[in-house]
Amino acid sequence: IVNYTNRSGDAPITPSQLGAAYASATTGAVVTALGLKSLTKHLPAIIGRYVPFAAVAAANCINIPLMRQRELKLGIPVTDENGNRLGESTAAARKAIFQVVVSRIGMAAPAMAIPPVIMNALEKRAFLKRYPYLNAPLQVGLVGLCLVFATPLCCALFPQKSSMHVSRLEPPLQARIREEAAGVELVYFNKGL
């Protein structure tokens, strides 16, 4: 639902498409987690701690494009620098979705990469054996601290109002823009979050 409400365009999605996207992302994450967990059984414990990150990355790679599949089919609105709507572009939708997937994986990376190293180090010392009830609060606190910084930084990786050269759009849209808005070289679109 977060991915749906933070999409770029104004194309609606049906409840069945929403359910399919959720089920697909959940299945992808679970399959990734279980598959990697079985592969990392004989590896050092620190490697196994990164399995959830791989599962989250897989879920983002599946869920975001599925949630925004109507944008991939119908396109997202592109405008000139003054905000005048020039049409809908599937090429802009692909670029927007790619940027969102990269930033979402980037958001998860620190929160899922730094706490495992710290927790692994604490488990090697007697600290967590002496105070086992601190395990969960420490992990939650570390993840929260990472997200406080990672979320705004990764949202800022790509501008909210992204741009692209007209020459990279679909040929029919290029022709229409050159005919109706001669001189426009860049189009702008809302990439979503």
Side-chain angles (χ1 to χ4, degrees):
I1 290 171
V2 169
N3 291 332
Y4 174 70
T5 56
N6 288 307
R7 69 194 188 283
S8 165
D10 48 11
I13 189 168
T14 66
S16 62
Q17 290 171 323
L18 192 65
Y22 174 77
S24 299
T26 303
T27 302
V30 170
V31 167
T32 301
L34 293 177
L36 290 177
K37 195 72 169 168
S38 68
L39 292 173
T40 60
K41 280 183 182 175
H42 305 294
L43 296 174
I46 189 72
I47 303 295
R49 290 184 183 265
Y50 290 103
V51 168
F53 173 66
V56 167
N60 278 320
C61 290
I62 295 168
N63 187 265
I64 294 168
L66 282 174
M67 282 310 217
R68 296 175 65 174
Q69 63 185 299
R70 300 244 330 150
E71 294 175 31
L72 291 169
K73 291 177 187 170
L74 304 176
I76 58 174
V78 293
T79 64
D80 63 13
E81 62 185 3
N82 299 320
N84 300 316
R85 194 169 179 153
L86 302 171
E88 286 76 32
S89 170
T90 56
R94 285 191 302 273
K95 182 176 180 180
I97 290 168
F98 173 77
Q99 290 176 344
V100 170
V101 169
V102 169
S103 66
R104 289 288 181 86
I105 291 171
M107 279 182 216
M112 299 189 101
I114 296 170
V117 172
I118 294 170
M119 294 306 293
N120 201 50
L122 290 175
E123 284 178 1
K124 288 182 180 175
R125 294 179 174 79
F127 180 77
L128 282 180
K129 289 179 183 162
R130 223 176 317 147
Y131 308 105
Y133 56 87
L134 290 179
N135 193 331
L138 268 173
Q139 286 189 49
V140 170
L142 287 169
V143 168
L145 183 65
C146 290
L147 287 174
V148 163
F149 296 102
T151 301
L153 287 173
C154 289
C155 281
L157 280 177
F158 305 103
Q160 184 67 37
K161 186 177 179 182
S162 291
S163 64
M164 120 185 255
H165 285 278
V166 171
S167 62
R168 305 201 72 182
L169 298 172
E170 303 85 344
L173 183 55
Q174 284 182 40
R176 193 166 88 208
I177 290 172
R178 288 196 176 105
E179 181 182 304
E180 295 174 7
V184 173
E185 292 299 319
L186 280 177
V187 294
Y188 299 89
F189 57 92
N190 175 7
K191 74 166 176 65
L193 292 174

